[in-house]
C-alpha cells in the first residue's frame, strides 16, 4: 500500500476515542466507524445504501420513531434497546410481525465511542432476541452543542399475516378495555436517572417487545379491535386518542389499574399522575367483552403481560370522552395531556 | 364541551408561534402540531402509529437516511425536499421503484412553526412529484441548545420489479463508468448559503429524484451493474467505495468530468476539490462498455441527466484503487476522503 493510499486508509478507533465531525463526513473515518461499530454489531451490509429484503406475502406495515431520551442509559434499558422495542411495538400494535428495522443515528461530536458501541450492541441484542434484522443504517455527526450525545430514529417493516384490521375505527360500544400491566415504570425510571433520584428498590424501565403478547392474542383467534402502546402521554392520553378516533366514550376503572409502590411513591413526590406517565412495555387492548377472559388468560401466560387485567369498557356514548371511576366510586373526566408532562423520556 | 375538556383541547397554532417542548409531549399540543402541520400537508393517517401498505409483488428494498443540513433552506432546495429525494435516490440506486416513505422529525425548541410548515410542505410537494406517499411520521422536540432547528430522518420502502442485482459485486473488468452530470452543485450551494458567499449567478443545489433516470435505464433493458448517488465524499469517494467493494481498479478521465464555472470558482476560492464535494442529484453508473452509448442516449433524454457522459472505466487490476487521468495526460491516485471536507451538507 503506498503512502497516498495509507492516508486515505481506515484508522482504527482507539479506546477512549470520541466521535468527531470527520466521522460523519463520508470518508475513511466514517467508513471505519461504520465498519467497527455498526456493521460489527448489527451485521449490516455497508457496501450499498439500500437493503434488499427476501420476498414476502401479505400486507406490509411501516412505522418510524425518533428517540431522544436523556440520559442515554437508564435502569432497565438504554436508547438503543428502546429504539428497537419502540419500533417493534408500533408494528405489533397494528398486528404486524416485525421483519426488518432501519436505524438512523445523529451523533453529537464528542460522544465517547465506547458509549456508541454500547448502544449499538444493545440494539443488536434487542433485535436478535426479537427475531428482527437491522438491515440498513445511516450516521450523521453534528457539532458539539447542536445535539445531545445521540439521537436514534428507527423505522420498521412488518408483515400483516392475517386479514385483520386493528384500528380505532374497529372499536365497538360494549368492548372491553384490557391493560397489559402496571403503569409508569419507564417514565419514572428515566426521570429518576436524569434527576439523580434514588428509589429503593430502583425503578426499572418496562421497555420490552410487545410482539410476543400480540402474536399470542392473534394465534388464539381473538378478535382484536384495537391495540395501543402506552408511550408518551400514558394510558390516559392513549385512551383519549382512541375514544376520539372511534367517536365513542371509554369508561376506566381506577381499582383495576396498578402502579408499583416505588413508582407510585416517586410520582407522588414529583406531583405526577401515573395515568399520564409514559410506558414502553405496556399496551391497551380493546376487544369484544365476551372475549375478555380468554384474552386475560392468554396474556397472563406471556412474560411481560402477567399483570394484565380488564381496566374499563367502551360505553354507549358517542362523545369521544374518557371517564374514570375512582376508588371512591365517583366519576372523573380524563382529559388528554395538554403539554409535556415529562420531556425527553423516549 | 366542559371546561375540563377545553383544557385538554387542541390549541390552534398562531402565526409567529414557535415550537415548544410541550409540542413533543404526546398531549393536546402535539396532536395539534401533527394535525395542522404534518397531516395537513402530508395527508398521513395520524390515528395509528403504523401504516398498512397495499399488497405488493416483488422483492422489497429499504433504506434510511438522516438529514442535518445547515442552513435548513438553501438555493435550489431545503431539508425537506432533500430528505425525500435522498431517500428516493438510495432506493433508486438499488433499482427499486420508491413506494412509501416515513419521516421522523427532531425539532429544537424555538423553531418557528412557519419554518416547520415550509419544510413539511416542501416534503409533500417532492413526494407528490415523485409519486411516493409519506405514510408515517414521528415528532420529538428537544430543548433549545440540544438541536439545530430541525433534523429529519427518512426511511423508504421500494419495490424491485425485476430480477436484477445492482451491487458493487456485479461490477466487471472492462465496464464503463458513466457520470450523470456536472459535479459539486449541492455542496457548494449549501456552503455558500451557510457562509454568506454570493456566487454570481447563484449556485443552486442539484437535489432531485434520480428514479426517473434509473427507471428509463431499466426500461431500456440495459444491464446495470452498479449505481451510486454521489453524496457525502463526492464522486471520488464513491468511486473508491465501489472499487474497494468490487476489488477492482477504476480509471477516471478528468476531461470527461464537468464542473459548472461558478461551482469551479467557488471551489477554487475555498480550496476544495469538486471531485470530493457532495451532490444530491448526480450518480455514477457502471455497466458493460458495449452498452455505454445506449445508456448515454437514454440519460440525455431525461431531465436532470442531460449532461451524462462516460467518465471512466473499470480496469483489469484487482487492487480496489481509483486513478484519474488528468487533462495533462498524467495519472494521479484518487484516495478516499479522509475526514469531513464539508460538515452538515446533507
Amino acid at each position: 500500500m503506498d503512502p497516498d493510499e495509507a492516508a486515505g486508509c481506515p484508522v482504527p478507533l482507539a479506546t477512549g476515542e470520541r466521535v468527531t465531525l470527520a466521522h460523519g463526513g463520508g470518508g475513511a473515518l466514517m467508513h471505519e466507524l461504520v465498519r467497527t461499530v455498526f456493521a460489527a454489531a448489527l451485521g449490516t451490509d455497508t457496501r450499498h445504501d439500500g437493503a434488499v429484503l427476501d420476498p414476502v406475502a401479505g400486507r406490509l406495515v411501516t412505522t418510524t420513531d425518533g428517540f431522544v431520551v436523556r440520559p442515554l442509559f437508564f435502569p432497565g434499558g438504554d436508547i438503543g434497546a428502546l429504539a428497537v422495542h419502540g419500533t417493534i411495538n408500533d408494528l405489533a400494535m397494528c398486528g404486524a410481525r416485525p421483519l426488518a428495522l432501519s436505524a438512523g443515528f445523529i451523533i453529537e461530536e464528542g460522544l465517547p465511542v465506547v458509549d456508541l458501541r454500547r448502544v449499538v450492541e444493545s440494539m443488536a441484542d434487542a433485535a436478535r432476541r426479537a427475531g428482527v434484522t437491522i438491515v440498513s443504517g445511516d450516521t450523521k455527526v453534528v457539532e458539539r452543542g447542536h445535539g445531545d450525545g445521540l439521537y436514534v430514529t428507527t423505522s420498521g417493516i412488518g408483515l400483516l399475516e392475517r386479514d385483520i384490521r386493528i384500528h380505532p375505527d374497529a372499536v365497538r360500544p360494549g368492548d372491553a378495555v384490557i391493560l397489559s400491566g402496571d403503569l409508569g415504570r419507564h417514565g419514572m425510571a428515566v426521570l429518576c436517572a436524569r434527576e439523580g433520584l434514588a428509589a429503593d428498590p430502583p425503578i426499572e424501565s418496562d421497555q420490552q417487545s410487545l410482539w410476543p403478547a400480540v402474536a399470542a392474542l392473534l394465534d388464539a383467534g381473538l378478535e382484536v379491535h384495537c391495540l395501543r402502546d402506552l408511550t408518551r402521554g400514558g394510558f390516559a392520553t392513549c385512551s383519549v386518542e382512541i375514544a376520539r378516533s372511534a367517536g365513542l366514550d371509554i369508561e376506566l376503572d381506577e381499582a383495576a389499574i396498578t402502579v408499583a409502590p416505588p413508582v407510585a411513591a416517586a410520582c407522588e413526590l414529583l406531583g405526577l399522575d401515573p395515568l399520564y406517565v409514559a410506558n414502553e412495555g405496556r399496551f391497551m387492548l380493546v376487544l369484544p367483552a365476551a372475549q375478555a377472559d380468554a384474552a386475560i388468560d392468554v396474556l397472563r401466560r406471556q412474560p411481560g403481560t402477567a399483570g394484565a387485567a380488564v381496566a374499563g369498557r367502551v360505553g354507549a356514548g358517542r362523545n369521544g370522552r374518557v371517564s374514570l371511576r375512582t376508588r371512591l366510586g365517583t366519576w372523573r373526566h380524563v382529559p388528554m395531556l395538554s403539554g409535556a408532562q415529562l420531556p425527553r423520556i423516549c
Side-chain angles (χ1 to χ4, degrees), chain A residues 2-188:
Chain A
D2 66 22
D4 197 17
E5 177 75 20
C9 177
V11 183
L13 288 166
T15 314
E17 194 168 343
R18 290 174 180 271
V19 175
T20 66
L21 280 176
H23 282 114
L29 282 172
M30 192 180 87
H31 281 77
E32 186 59 12
L33 185 76
V34 168
R35 191 178 68 79
T36 60
V37 177
F38 295 101
L42 303 175
T44 42
D45 178 355
T46 60
R47 294 169 301 164
H48 216 45
D49 275 339
V52 179
L53 307 183
D54 292 330
V56 293
R59 287 176 298 160
L60 293 166
V61 176
T62 181
T63 184
T64 197
D65 240 333
F67 294 86
V68 299
V69 66
R70 191 160 55 89
L72 299 177
F73 305 95
F74 47 82
D78 58 70
I79 192 171
L82 190 63
V84 168
H85 290 147
T87 299
I88 286 175
N89 292 350
D90 281 350
L91 298 172
M93 295 299 107
C94 296
R97 174 184 301 280
L99 294 181
L101 303 184
S102 297
F105 298 83
I106 297 175
I107 305 170
E108 186 189 19
E109 181 188 14
L111 179 73
V113 170
V114 66
D115 285 353
L116 181 62
R117 201 185 294 274
R118 189 172 153 202
V119 167
V120 174
E121 284 168 1
S122 171
M123 293 184 77
D125 183 57
R128 203 162 30 233
R129 287 164 189 261
V132 304
T133 313
I134 298 178
V135 292
S136 68
D138 180 68
T139 306
K140 295 289 186 303
V141 181
V142 297
E143 305 88 336
R144 216 178 279 264
H146 290 282
D148 197 4
L150 179 64
Y151 300 140
V152 181
T153 301
T154 38
S155 292
I157 299 177
L159 183 65
L160 209 48
E161 295 166 310
R162 294 172 175 84
D163 184 24
I164 50 175
R165 177 171 163 78
I166 295 175
H167 197 278
D169 282 357
V171 172
R172 296 288 170 264
D175 278 356
V177 175
I178 291 174
L179 180 56
S180 75
D182 63 322
L183 295 180
R185 288 182 183 270
H186 176 73
M188 297 318 294

Side-chain angles (χ1 to χ4, degrees), chain A residues 177 249-253 311-317 321-325 331:
Chain A
V177 175
D249 293 346
I250 290 180
E251 296 156 7
L252 302 178
D253 182 4
R313 59 187 289 274
V314 180
R321 288 166 52 96
V322 176
S323 311
L324 178 80
R325 191 175 55 185
W331 287 91

